[in-house]
């Protein structure tokens, strides 16, 4: 069997070159494209994103990225969102008082962090659940974050569908600021085929490479 | 535990080669930027910064190639500054693989540039670099520090603290505060200047200029720096990134 094929969605946002290189480093065959067929059929789809929530949503619309994500998830095909590529998976984002609708895969709002120093820029530890697949072997490492906004609550929205077949999302948390003035926020989510990280695994050195390798391995 | 104090080696690059001179004069050649950046990544650098000191636009093209080759080799953030005059310059560097771009003189001449870059790429890509010194002679500013240009040779009369505050309000995601008095002295960062800017600015603050010993980095972090940057002590082998981090860890600071 060959290397898992991963498409990095090219919609004009994100340091896509780094994402492609980091995926190749951990043994994936990575392709940067906005082609919908390729994005649909790849073993994994990586949705990058930097900058503003509203601008990223606009960019996604131009390549009909939301549809691609939905179709993949309907077929149980893995998707990984990174940074703003994670934020847009929530129901909405609020930046500078303007509310923008997200893809709504998860309930909740992405809002500005309240801390003495914002953006949260740099290497922070995370609290990953014991059974996390993404963080296997790197639960105690720090990861590189660059963001001013985050989802600060996570609602387990699928209670109505609870059954013995349903696995609730695994949520990893991080904190920015001081104990007096800071925010606890969602650092990563693993929800069936849909995963996402608020930090940049492609910029998080060896720890980030291990996390990406864990994801790539799950595609095989 | 909170976000780690970042240790950032800075490489001055001229026409594709690494240089660093005392007080920006008498540049000395010290190697290949791609190799050095990769070595720093391996040593535990939390980011790497390139400062392009090339004089001509042709040499700037060389820099884009250096950035591309470096971004293929290192897996920590890369910041590139020097000669950035427009949002299109930023675009070119980001496409080559830079994660952040440093802007200095062009923003002093035209502060709207900060908002243009932040609006197009987001604040997180924009590091506003401030070359500042203590005022001397007839010059006065409210904080006692002024912004300089031309590698510290020309004063502008602009208050350094006010400029940092204004640029953050315009959309700079981070301030790189370089003391032109301390630069090249290895006698320590200008802690008063750092504290003065920290007091007024809520975006991350990078201390630069004057590092000579591991303790200097500890002092800068205690004065309010979120990150500490140095050039010559690292690439002439006076200190390693690891030694700086050991000292910070021993002082109770969070490091990666």
């Amino acid at each position: 069997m060959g290397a898992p094929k991963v498409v990095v969605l090219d919609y004009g946002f994100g340091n896509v070159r780094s994402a492609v290189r980091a995926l190749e480093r951990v043994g994936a065959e990575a392709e940067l494209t906005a082609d919908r067929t390729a994005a649909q059929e790849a073993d994994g789809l990586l949705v990058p994103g930097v900058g503003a929530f509203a601008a990223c949503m606009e960019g996604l619309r131009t390549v009909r990225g939301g549809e691609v994500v939905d179709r993949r998830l309907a077929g149980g095909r893995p998707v990984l969102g990174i940074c703003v590529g994670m934020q847009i998976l929530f129901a909405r984002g609020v930046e500078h008082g303007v509310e923008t609708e997200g893809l709504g895969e998860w309930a909740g709002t992405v809002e500005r962090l309240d801390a003495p120093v914002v953006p949260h820029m740099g290497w922070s530890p995370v609290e990953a659940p014991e059974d996390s697949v993404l963080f296997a072997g790197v639960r105690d490492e720090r990861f590189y974050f660059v963001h001013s906004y985050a989802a600060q609550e996570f609602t387990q929205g699928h209670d109505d569908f609870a059954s013995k077949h349903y696995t609730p999302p695994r949520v990893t948390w991080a904190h920015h600021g001081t104990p007096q003035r800071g925010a606890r926020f969602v650092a990563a989510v693993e929800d069936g085929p849909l995963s996402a990280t608020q930090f940049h695994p492609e910029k998080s050195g060896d720890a980030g490479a291990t996390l990406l390798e864990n994801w790539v391995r799950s595609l095989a | 535990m909170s976000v780690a104090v970042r240790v950032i080696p800075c490489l001055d690059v001229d026409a594709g080669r690494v240089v660093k001179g005392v007080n920006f004069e008498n540049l000395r050649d010290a190697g290949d930027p791609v190799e050095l950046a990769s070595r720093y990544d391996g040593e535990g650098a939390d980011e790497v910064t390139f400062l392009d000191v090339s004089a001509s636009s042709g040499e700037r093209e060389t820099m884009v190639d250096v950035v591309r080759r470096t971004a293929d080799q290192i897996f920590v953030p890369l910041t590139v500054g020097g000669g950035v005059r427009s949002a299109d310059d930023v675009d070119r560097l980001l496409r080559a693989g830079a994660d952040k771009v440093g802007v200095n003189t062009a923003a002093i001449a035209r502060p709207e540039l900060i908002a243009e870059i932040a609006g197009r790429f987001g604040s997180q890509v924009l590091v506003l670099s401030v070359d500042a010194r203590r005022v001397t002679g007839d010059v006065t500013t409210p904080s006692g520090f002024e912004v300089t240009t031309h590698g510290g040779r020309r004063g502008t009369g602009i208050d350094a603290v006010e400029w940092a505050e204004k640029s953050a309000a315009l959309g700079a995601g981070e301030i790189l505060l370089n003391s032109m008095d301390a630069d090249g002295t290895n006698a320590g960062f200008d802690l008063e200047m750092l504290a003065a800017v920290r007091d007024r600015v809520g975006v991350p603050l990078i201390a630069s200029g004057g590092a000579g010993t591991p303790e200097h980095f500890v002092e800068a972090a205690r004065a309010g720096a979120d990150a500490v940057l140095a050039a010559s002590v690292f690439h002439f082998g006076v200190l390693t990134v690891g030694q700086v981090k050991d000292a910070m860890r021993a002082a109770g600071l969070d490091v990666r």
Side-chain angles (χ1 to χ4, degrees):
Chain A
M1 205 180 65
K5 288 190 178 60
V6 176
V7 160
V8 175
L9 191 64
D10 185 11
Y11 66 107
F13 293 87
N15 192 342
V16 287
R17 192 181 165 84
S18 302
V20 168
R21 280 286 297 127
L23 286 165
E24 286 170 352
R25 183 188 177 194
V26 300
E29 190 186 306
E31 184 192 1
L32 176 65
T33 180
D35 181 80
R36 294 174 64 222
T37 309
Q40 220 115 260
E41 291 176 356
D43 297 315
L45 175 70
L46 189 150
V47 183
V50 296
F53 190 104
C56 280
M57 278 306 294
E58 187 59 43
L60 264 187
R61 250 190 301 278
T62 62
V63 301
R64 292 164 73 185
E67 249 178 78
V68 172
V69 169
D70 277 343
R71 281 214 196 173
R72 287 189 62 93
L73 296 178
R77 301 173 78 74
V79 175
L80 174 65
I82 291 179
C83 197
V84 183
M86 162 169 165
Q87 296 180 358
I88 48 94
L89 296 169
F90 285 86
R92 68 195 76 78
V94 179
E95 292 189 348
H96 310 292
V98 180
E99 186 173 309
T100 306
E101 201 180 321
L103 296 181
E105 304 295 345
W106 297 312
T109 304
V110 174
E111 290 176 290
R112 192 170 167 87
L113 295 167
D114 182 32
V117 176
V118 175
H120 170 214
M121 192 178 285
W123 301 76
S124 287
V126 297
E127 305 156 35
E130 294 283 351
D131 59 351
S132 165
V133 173
L134 284 184
F135 290 92
V138 286
R139 293 177 68 250
D140 298 327
E141 298 290 336
R142 287 172 181 264
F143 296 88
Y144 187 79
F145 291 82
V146 189
H147 62 124
S148 299
Y149 299 83
Q152 293 165 48
E153 284 173 12
F154 192 91
T155 314
Q156 307 276 3
H158 299 285
D159 289 351
D160 294 350
F161 305 102
S163 78
K164 63 180 177 175
H165 302 297
Y166 173 67
T167 311
R170 299 185 189 100
V171 181
T172 294
W173 296 89
H175 183 271
H176 177 57
T178 59
Q180 295 75 35
R181 188 180 166 208
R184 189 171 183 256
F185 63 88
V186 177
V189 182
E190 295 160 72
D191 183 11
L194 183 59
S195 305
T197 65
Q198 176 61 68
F199 55 84
H200 287 270
E202 78 282 13
K203 287 286 152 189
S204 295
D206 291 342
T210 299
L211 183 138
L212 285 174
E213 193 175 9
N214 289 340
W215 182 68
V216 166
R217 222 181 261 156
S218 76
L219 307 176
Chain B
M1 286 204 298
S2 59
V3 63
V5 180
R6 284 167 284 151
V7 179
I8 309 174
C10 175
L11 305 174
D12 289 7
V13 181
D14 186 3
R17 298 283 295 172
V18 175
V19 288
K20 176 69 186 183
V22 174
N23 286 324
F24 287 88
E25 308 279 350
N26 307 316
L27 298 174
R28 287 155 67 180
D29 194 332
D32 172 26
V34 182
E35 244 182 79
L36 268 171
S38 193
R39 195 187 87 192
Y40 288 138
D41 180 7
E43 276 183 10
D46 297 311
E47 285 181 33
V48 174
T49 291
F50 284 165
L51 181 62
D52 186 10
V53 295
S54 300
S56 75
S57 56
E59 288 167 349
R60 294 242 159 72
E61 281 310 306
T62 308
M63 188 62 180
V64 171
D65 179 56
V66 167
V67 170
R68 195 172 291 125
R69 288 188 291 124
T70 306
D72 280 352
Q73 299 259 335
I74 72 167
F75 296 94
V76 294
L78 174 65
T79 301
V80 184
V84 174
R85 301 192 186 289
S86 66
D88 286 341
D89 289 344
V90 173
D91 189 45
R92 200 171 305 124
L93 291 168
L94 294 178
R95 281 177 192 278
D99 297 288
K100 298 190 266 189
V101 171
V103 177
N104 189 338
T105 317
I108 299 169
R110 209 170 62 80
E112 313 87 84
L113 178 62
I114 295 172
E116 287 166 20
I117 294 168
R120 186 160 152 197
F121 308 102
S123 287
Q124 79 290 336
V125 307
L126 178 54
V127 183
L128 186 90
S129 188
V130 183
D131 290 342
R133 69 180 177 195
R134 286 160 188 261
V135 291
T136 51
D138 296 339
V139 184
T140 58
T141 63
S143 70
F145 302 101
E146 75 168 325
V147 177
T148 70
T149 59
H150 299 81
R153 292 192 305 276
R154 274 188 218 170
T156 62
I158 298 168
D159 186 277
V161 176
E162 282 174 10
W163 172 233
E165 195 176 16
K166 181 182 174 187
S167 63
L170 282 169
E174 198 169 20
I175 305 288
L176 167 56
L177 184 65
N178 188 29
S179 165
M180 302 316 292
D181 299 315
D183 192 68
T185 64
N186 303 126
F189 296 92
D190 188 331
L191 303 178
E192 278 176 40
M193 187 163 79
L194 274 173
V197 173
R198 170 77 299 161
D199 198 41
R200 298 267 292 276
V201 171
V203 299
L205 177 61
I206 307 169
S208 166
T213 69
E215 290 67 35
H216 291 153
F217 293 86
V218 173
E219 291 165 2
R222 287 198 172 134
D226 300 287
V228 284
L229 178 144
S232 55
V233 287
F234 290 135
H235 74 254
F236 290 129
V238 179
L239 295 176
T240 65
V241 171
Q243 285 170 326
V244 169
K245 289 194 173 185
D246 286 346
M248 293 203 298
R249 199 177 285 116
L253 296 164
D254 278 319
V255 291
R256 175 168 74 109

